[in-house]
């Protein structure tokens, strides 16, 4: 990339010298304006070419527009009537300007979810995929443009009836992720509960039962919650926490 900028500055310097020599014979203002116009046009074209070259270079380095630093997945039900799935992602931009991304998820409920992005109801823009084997998707627009290597976070929440929910939360790890955190908050539970299971399954596996046990998580009955964090989860897996409803 440094080579691109060096070449670009060399071209601009050469063009500046040529334009300066070209301007000298002209004494009339109109002729000077015409020459300056073509000079500005050339610079604009060159800057655009540099921008495209930089984007192409970044695209070969990173398959996506961003990298995922951390994922925080939370399930909450305080009254055993309503349920809320919440995903917060911390990402880092890998393009010069990033103003929106596509967030993929799988809705486990039977009804239509209410979706909130950073507190704003965006349910109307959600269109279910309809294929049980594929993820749904929703476009997230940031409040401001994120520049290259700048970090940002966003939160997506889905609300539904507790009776319609499958008691599990899942996260797809298809790129390097430093932290994956699961939280299940069940305010209505009383006393001790059975441990939750943590398991993973290969993303390209076609068999739902082809899973690998990763451990169990005891229920914290003081806080009425299951909590588990995984550092540097292995790429290429669905990670899941599942508990007894």
């Amino acid at each position: 990339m440094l080579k691109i900028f060096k070449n670009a500055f060399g071209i601009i310097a050469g063009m500046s010298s040529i334009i300066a020599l070209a301007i000298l014979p002209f004494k009339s203002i109109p002729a000077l304006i015409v020459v300056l116009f073509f000079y500005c046009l050339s610079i604009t074209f060159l800057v655009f070419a540099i921008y495209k070259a930089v984007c192409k270079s970044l695209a070969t380095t990173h398959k996506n527009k961003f990298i995922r630093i951390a994922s925080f997945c939370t399930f909450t039900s305080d009254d055993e009537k309503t349920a809320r799935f919440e995903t917060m992602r911390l990402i880092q931009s890998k393009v010069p300007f990033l103003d929106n991304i596509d967030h993929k998820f799988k809705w486990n409920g039977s009804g239509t979810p209410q979706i909130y992005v950073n507190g704003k109801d965006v349910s109307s823009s959600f269109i279910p995929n309809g294929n049980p084997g594929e993820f749904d998707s929703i476009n997230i627009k940031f409040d401001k443009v994120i520049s290259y290597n700048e970090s940002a976070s966003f939160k997506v929440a889905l609300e539904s009836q507790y009776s319609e929910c499958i008691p599990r939360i899942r996260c797809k790890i298809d790129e390097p992720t430093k932290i994956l955190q699961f939280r299940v908050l069940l305010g209505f539970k009383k006393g001790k509960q059975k441990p939750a299971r943590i398991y993973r399954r290969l993303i390209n596996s076609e068999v739902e039962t082809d899973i690998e046990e990763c451990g169990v998580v005891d229920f914290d009955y003081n806080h009425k919650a299951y909590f588990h964090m995984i550092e540097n989860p292995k790429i290429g897996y669905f990670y899941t926490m599942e508990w007894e409803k």
Side-chain angles (χ1 to χ4, degrees):
M1 189 171 298
L2 183 61
K3 183 178 179 181
I4 293 174
F5 283 104
K6 283 183 177 179
N7 292 338
F9 283 123
I11 294 171
I12 292 175
M15 289 178 60
S16 299
S17 300
I18 294 171
I19 295 295
L21 292 174
I23 289 176
L24 288 177
F26 295 96
K27 295 182 179 179
S28 65
I29 297 299
L32 181 60
I33 291 174
V34 171
V35 174
L36 289 175
F37 170 77
F38 281 105
Y39 175 62
C40 293
L41 190 64
S42 300
I43 293 297
T44 302
F45 176 78
L46 186 60
V47 169
F48 179 75
I50 294 173
Y51 173 76
K52 294 294 288 184
V54 169
C55 290
K56 184 177 180 180
S57 177
L58 293 175
T60 57
T61 305
H62 305 281
K63 65 176 183 178
N64 296 323
K65 296 179 180 180
F66 62 93
I67 59 173
R68 186 185 305 163
I69 299 174
S71 293
F72 305 93
C73 304
T74 304
F75 175 92
T76 305
S77 182
D78 293 325
D79 55 8
E80 204 176 2
K81 296 179 181 179
T82 59
R84 182 180 177 92
F85 292 90
E86 191 174 274
T87 300
M88 188 174 80
R89 294 272 169 83
L90 178 62
I91 65 169
Q92 185 180 52
S93 173
K94 288 303 173 184
V95 291
F97 308 105
L98 181 66
D99 59 359
N100 73 92
I101 63 173
D102 288 324
H103 173 64
K104 296 185 181 299
F105 64 96
K106 193 61 188 174
W107 173 238
N108 290 320
S110 59
T112 301
Q114 292 296 119
I115 304 174
Y116 302 88
V117 176
N118 297 330
K120 299 177 182 178
D121 190 338
V122 295
S123 304
S124 59
S125 61
F126 170 64
I127 301 176
N129 182 282
N131 188 334
E134 295 182 8
F135 273 69
D136 299 314
S137 179
I138 188 169
N139 186 260
I140 295 174
K141 292 180 170 59
F142 294 108
D143 294 333
K144 67 170 187 175
V145 176
I146 305 168
S147 58
Y148 178 74
N149 261 357
E150 185 179 0
S151 297
S153 64
F154 67 89
K155 185 184 293 184
V156 176
L158 301 95
E159 295 184 353
S160 185
Q161 297 300 309
Y162 181 77
S163 60
E164 297 179 344
C165 300
I166 298 174
R168 71 184 180 197
I169 46 179
R170 176 178 292 174
C171 186
K172 181 181 180 181
I173 304 297
D174 56 355
E175 58 188 34
T177 303
K178 293 184 178 180
I179 295 174
L180 170 59
Q181 177 183 287
F182 287 133
R183 286 195 310 163
V184 178
L185 310 176
L186 304 172
F188 62 89
K189 292 286 188 180
K190 297 179 180 179
K192 293 185 178 181
Q193 304 293 321
K194 291 183 179 180
R197 286 196 313 148
I198 302 293
Y199 60 89
R200 66 186 185 187
R201 177 172 64 89
L202 286 169
I203 292 174
N204 57 6
S205 174
E206 297 181 358
V207 182
E208 182 68 23
T209 56
D210 186 16
I211 61 176
E212 177 183 345
E213 292 280 352
C214 298
V216 296
V217 181
D218 291 329
F219 183 71
D220 182 349
Y221 57 86
N222 289 323
H223 298 93
K224 300 182 178 180
Y226 294 103
F227 177 85
H228 188 67
M229 185 173 70
I230 303 171
E231 295 184 2
N232 301 309
K234 194 171 181 179
I235 301 173
Y237 285 87
F238 288 113
Y239 280 81
T240 303
M241 175 185 275
E242 190 172 271
W243 64 96
E244 189 174 274
K245 197 169 185 178

